Amino acid sequence: MSDIDVTDQSAIADLEQDIASAIMRAEDEAGLEEVRIAALGKKGSVSELLKSLGAMSPDERKVMGPAINGLRDRVQGLITHRRAALKTKALEARLATETVDVTLPVREAAAETGRVHPIAQVMEELTAIFADMGFSVAEGPDIEDDFHNFTALNFPPGHPAREMHDTFFLPPGSDGQRKVLRTHTSPVQVRTMQTKTPPIRVICPGRTYRCDSDQTHTPMFHQVEGLVIDKGAHLGHLKWILEEFCKSFFEVEGVKMRFRPSFFPFTEPSMEVDIQCDRSRPGEIRFGEGSDWLEILGCGMVHPNVLRNCGLDPDEYQGFAWGMGIDRIAMLKYGMSDLRAFFEADVRWLSHYGFRPLDFPTLAGGLSA
Ligand code: 2NL
């Protein structure tokens, strides 16, 4: 710019000529942008001229002001025009080269390629079976307080399950209380007893946490528990419910069950339940036949202390409860051998073991059709 005499109108005309030809030479929008910056950018040739107006005498400015402003407006107009032309040119080039092959097969819809995780599938199956028997589903928080996870369930102070070994504790809150990641889904049943009036028939499926990790344990796992509270609920009802469940879930006509005495703080009496199976073929388990036994759940009559802790009068109400591991029964039903693969989020594993999303499990249509 220094060689332009700002009071010389012909110098301005020359500059306009230069810029106009640079605009016309720009072959794409990026090139045009460079020209724009060189002319109208902060340090551009036209901008410098505009700045020089400030140092002029009023007489000079009267002539040069309109000349330079006019230059800026014309340059801006040329650029806008050229940009539109370049855009059209680029679009025409794309249309000329890009083609759509309408004979290609359509891509599969997400609902066709996506898969439902076996745990989610088994939860749906369980829910369908128990819903058919009149149970509703209850859910609760994964982070629990000591009362709902332990105290209400008749865990004596100093019970080993409360200790660091099994339970994930959160840092103490402002009240000094340490919350826990629930170690079972029983706190959901506690909350149900606290808020609902019997008769109660609920199942509580969900995530549970224990500080344990090996071939058969993951720190996060899944449980489903069931609870029935009524004036006359007894072990005969429990046995029928569990037998119907096993037949439906494992899709067999009949299955022998074995109830062995056991201990849980929250039930009395307590039992562990085995189901009949055949493990004589390597790598395969068949339920409802053979002479082998497999433990699948724990159960019992709800302890009177638990009823009392949840606000129910044990002289008026009684009930039974059970609990089982979802991951384990999913492995048994669908033949997965390694529990850890469940939570590694490997799409190859999921596409092999997963379920088609629109195949809802129903009792009429076949649970795992
Ligand atoms: C097991 C055993 C069980 C329960 C869970 C329960 C819940 C309430 C009251 C009484 Cl609120 N009982 N739940 C009862 C017996 C056994 O689970 O081995 N689970 C994997």
Side-chain angles (χ1 to χ4, degrees):
M1 269 82 51
S2 52
D3 54 346
I4 294 176
D5 176 355
V6 293
T7 59
D8 179 354
Q9 299 239 23
S10 76
I12 291 178
D14 287 348
L15 177 64
E16 180 166 354
Q17 201 55 58
D18 286 351
I19 297 173
S21 73
I23 289 171
M24 292 320 288
R25 277 198 313 273
E27 287 196 16
D28 52 28
E29 286 188 76
L32 181 63
E33 180 62 7
E34 280 176 30
V35 178
R36 188 193 67 79
I37 291 168
L40 302 176
K42 232 184 188 160
K43 298 227 164 80
S45 50
V46 177
S47 306
E48 294 291 346
L49 280 180
L50 281 164
K51 279 182 221 161
S52 71
L53 282 173
M56 289 182 197
S57 66
D59 283 348
E60 273 178 334
R61 201 178 301 132
K62 216 176 249 164
V63 179
M64 295 311 293
I68 298 172
N69 278 308
L71 167 68
R72 182 200 53 205
D73 295 346
R74 288 190 299 279
V75 166
Q76 183 62 63
L78 286 174
I79 289 173
T80 306
H81 200 255
R82 180 70 180 153
R83 186 177 293 130
L86 288 173
K87 263 203 172 81
T88 310
K89 198 178 107 184
L91 179 64
E92 276 166 3
R94 270 185 66 191
L95 290 174
T97 54
E98 286 180 13
T99 54
V100 176
D101 184 351
V102 294
T103 66
L104 284 173
V106 289
R107 205 190 299 145
E108 270 191 301
E112 294 295 325
T113 51
R115 287 294 178 267
V116 173
H117 196 284
I119 306 243
Q121 171 77 15
V122 165
M123 283 199 183
E124 293 292 333
E125 295 177 11
L126 293 163
T127 307
I129 295 169
F130 286 114
D132 190 53
M133 292 192 245
F135 285 79
S136 47
V137 178
E139 290 182 306
D142 288 19
I143 297 174
E144 270 294 1
D145 51 45
D146 182 89
F147 177 79
H148 290 93
N149 196 76
F150 293 126
T151 306
L153 289 154
N154 199 35
F155 280 82
H159 189 284
R162 284 178 179 239
E163 302 199 341
M164 299 300 289
H165 182 71
D166 289 313
T167 309
F168 287 111
F169 289 95
L170 276 77
S174 52
D175 55 359
Q177 297 284 325
R178 287 187 309 173
K179 296 224 170 174
V180 302
L181 291 181
R182 67 182 183 194
T183 57
H184 43 194
T185 50
S186 312
V188 184
Q189 284 139 293
V190 170
R191 289 175 183 281
T192 305
M193 284 188 274
Q194 287 177 319
T195 53
K196 298 264 181 338
T197 318
I200 291 171
R201 278 191 287 271
V202 282
I203 57 160
C204 307
R207 291 191 175 138
T208 46
Y209 307 85
R210 288 188 199 176
C211 188
D212 202 350
S213 189
D214 60 34
Q215 290 248 348
T216 54
H217 296 88
T218 49
M220 189 279 302
F221 57 104
H222 299 81
Q223 266 199 347
V224 59
E225 287 190 49
L227 175 74
V228 172
I229 304 284
D230 206 345
K231 291 190 170 157
H234 59 69
L235 285 181
H237 300 137
L238 172 67
K239 288 181 76 172
W240 180 84
I241 288 169
L242 294 178
E243 195 177 318
E244 288 303 305
F245 167 74
C246 288
K247 285 194 294 186
S248 271
F249 183 75
F250 292 111
E251 297 174 88
V252 292
E253 291 288 316
V255 57
K256 282 191 196 147
M257 302 180 77
R258 199 163 71 169
F259 288 73
R260 286 181 288 103
S262 182
F263 174 80
F264 304 109
F266 33 80
T267 43
E268 182 59 39
S270 304
M271 288 158 287
E272 272 166 328
V273 180
D274 304 331
I275 57 169
Q276 172 199 16
C277 62
D278 181 359
R279 276 193 285 197
S280 57
R281 293 175 192 77
E284 191 192 349
I285 305 181
R286 293 198 186 191
F287 295 98
E289 53 190 273
S291 52
D292 299 313
W293 295 99
L294 198 81
E295 185 190 322
I296 60 155
L297 61 93
C299 61
M301 295 300 291
V302 178
H303 197 291
N305 289 348
V306 175
L307 292 172
R308 236 186 315 272
N309 293 339
C310 299
L312 295 174
D313 178 359
D315 291 327
E316 188 179 2
Y317 291 111
Q318 57 187 30
F320 49 84
W322 69 92
M324 67 186 145
I326 292 181
D327 314 285
R328 194 171 132 74
I329 63 165
M331 289 171 81
L332 290 172
K333 181 166 178 180
Y334 292 114
M336 289 77 97
S337 54
D338 190 352
L339 177 64
R340 285 170 295 189
F342 272 63
F343 309 119
E344 276 170 3
D346 183 336
V347 283
R348 292 163 302 179
W349 184 88
L350 190 59
S351 63
H352 182 80
Y353 287 110
F355 292 82
R356 298 167 57 87
L358 296 177
D359 291 346
F360 296 118
T362 66
L363 295 176
L367 286 177
S368 50

